[in-house]
Amino acid sequence: MRDAKYHPFTGETISQALPVMPGSSFAGKGFLLSLSGREGKSRWFHRDKKEGLSYEREKERGRMNLIRKEYAMFVAVTSSGTRVSLLSPAPTFSPIPSPPYFCPACLKPVILKKGMKRRWHFAHQPKATCPYHHPESEEHLNGKALLYQWLLHQGYKPDVERFLPMIKRKADLLVEKSGQSIAIEYQCASITEEEMIARTLDYRSIGIHPLWLLSSSRLRLRSPRHYQIHGFEWVSLRERPKDTRYAFSYFSSQDQSFSFLFPRAMTSQTRILADHYTLPSSQLSFHELITFPDTIDGPSLSVSQWLRVKKQWRFGKNQWRAFQDLRRLEPLFEKLRSGLPFFPAEAGWPHLGMEVISVPAYLWQSWLLLVFLPSLSPSHAFTSQEAAIAVTKSGLLSKSTCFPLLHEPLTQTLKHYLSLLSLMGVVEKTNRGWKKKRGV
């Protein structure tokens, strides 16, 4: 049977019926997804702290838009401490208490704005700032409202913009599922990697599981199936419990759809080869958002295509220049391999999980082949954890990204690479771990 299904993003405009994957969570939902290429966006931000406003300028398909952003929110409190929300489960709002209104976090006065162009919202008074709140665009406001309604329709009771005094953070949405508190953060603007890690760890410190949804405008297709990932976006990487596959999650407030980006390989420090899947919000449950839907893998790069990537690594301009902190490894390569272009043929091959190591694969894999494995006797069995510890102690990961939502990402990455080496006959799997089988 051939049913209308989705397929990994290929970068071309297609619309085609595909076979149903056995056990797929989408079987029987009967929809046809048209996939098309996306153009990137260029942005700059300006924030006027005196006025409490921010402006975002977007360039998309030749159009220039100036988007006004302010310290807007859906929730305020009255002088008696009553919580007032502009998002209601009912079709119409219940009577709104009379002013004055105050910010639930900083307790400064806020104004109820009931305009015709934007959603009704509360906003801090002119020239006021809030240390617990950031200027929000219309995209972010709409996204929170849509996600709130989406959760309501599935029987959950989400709490919007809940301020958590223990960590002094405000969650976009807070929802309980099976006794676990989950904070949904819809991230549209750029933030620093350090800020995103801090927010993630703060949530986890009080037993709340953070779930980051990036704006779909942050999907940057640079060539067919090749995407650019910015620094802080790596922190949102999560794993699918059933097979420990890693993926990014996105939400589009304009299309009311969810997208998932599953990395397959890493071709540079900022670019990945990945499979992209999109589903309308009406076809996805909250449970599937948390655990990820079942997917059909897209085609892998052919050997000839990947050899072109390796050729660029071997014969590109001075590769050490971009990794000054690793220059101390240059003499090692010269001693063992007569220079970087002659790294082992068994290094530099794609495998799952390689995106969690920011250092190019040919460098850390070469170190494993030229330094770690030769130091072991043929009878010595080692585990993936031991190999991960050795890579960590080598100093190769001095600028490694933190992945607070992944379980032992480095160990999993080494496990995938060692499995690849076993296919090449370099190592073999035993009951006690891995054993060196031959040199390189």
Side-chain angles (χ1 to χ4, degrees), residues 93-277:
F93 290 135
S94 58
I96 300 175
S98 301
Y101 307 111
F102 303 90
C103 172
C106 68
L107 300 181
K108 293 179 181 178
V110 295
I111 305 169
L112 174 58
K113 295 192 173 183
K114 301 186 287 186
M116 300 297 293
K117 294 184 178 180
R118 300 189 74 189
R119 285 181 176 272
W120 287 16
H121 63 275
F122 297 100
H124 284 76
Q125 294 181 347
K127 299 184 180 181
T129 59
C130 178
Y132 309 112
H133 204 77
H134 301 283
E136 296 192 14
S137 64
E138 190 70 14
E139 178 190 16
H140 192 239
L141 284 174
N142 287 338
K144 285 193 296 185
L146 290 169
L147 289 168
Y148 177 84
Q149 295 296 332
W150 176 71
L151 288 167
L152 279 180
H153 291 160
Q154 298 190 48
Y156 295 96
K157 298 179 180 179
D159 200 353
V160 65
E161 297 174 353
R162 171 59 67 180
F163 180 68
L164 304 168
M166 291 181 64
I167 57 175
K168 297 182 179 181
R169 302 282 187 187
K170 182 187 291 186
D172 286 343
L173 292 160
L174 192 65
V175 62
E176 293 281 334
K177 185 182 187 302
S178 303
Q180 172 66 59
S181 295
I182 299 174
I184 299 177
E185 289 286 352
Y186 181 41
Q187 193 62 41
C188 300
S190 296
I191 60 176
T192 65
E193 183 178 329
E194 292 75 17
E195 169 65 14
M196 193 157 179
I197 292 173
R199 288 164 65 179
T200 300
L201 295 179
D202 282 347
Y203 282 129
R204 298 191 68 176
S205 70
I206 58 174
I208 295 176
H209 180 76
L211 194 161
W212 291 93
L213 290 175
L214 304 176
S215 167
S216 60
S217 63
R218 308 198 71 85
L219 277 166
R220 304 174 192 84
L221 183 68
R222 296 313 186 203
S223 60
R225 299 184 64 221
H226 286 77
Y227 295 83
Q228 186 172 19
I229 306 296
H230 284 188
F232 79 94
E233 295 168 354
W234 291 108
V235 182
S236 71
L237 201 62
R238 297 185 294 129
E239 65 181 61
R240 185 163 55 186
K242 61 174 288 185
D243 56 6
T244 66
R245 284 288 303 276
Y246 302 151
F248 300 94
S249 304
Y250 300 84
F251 180 69
S252 170
S253 59
Q254 181 178 0
D255 301 333
Q256 297 187 39
S257 62
F258 292 94
S259 295
F260 304 96
L261 196 64
F262 284 81
R264 297 286 297 275
M266 193 169 184
T267 56
S268 73
Q269 285 184 292
T270 60
R271 294 196 180 189
I272 59 173
L273 169 71
D275 294 335
H276 175 211
Y277 309 85

Side-chain angles (χ1 to χ4, degrees), residues 26 49 79 114 258-259 277 323 437:
F26 300 105
K49 293 185 178 179
S79 55
K114 301 186 287 186
F258 292 94
S259 295
Y277 309 85
F323 307 100
K437 195 173 181 179

Side-chain angles (χ1 to χ4, degrees), residues 71-87:
Y71 291 88
M73 62 190 75
F74 287 125
V75 175
V77 294
T78 64
S79 55
S80 63
T82 302
R83 183 176 165 89
V84 182
S85 175
L86 299 180
L87 297 182

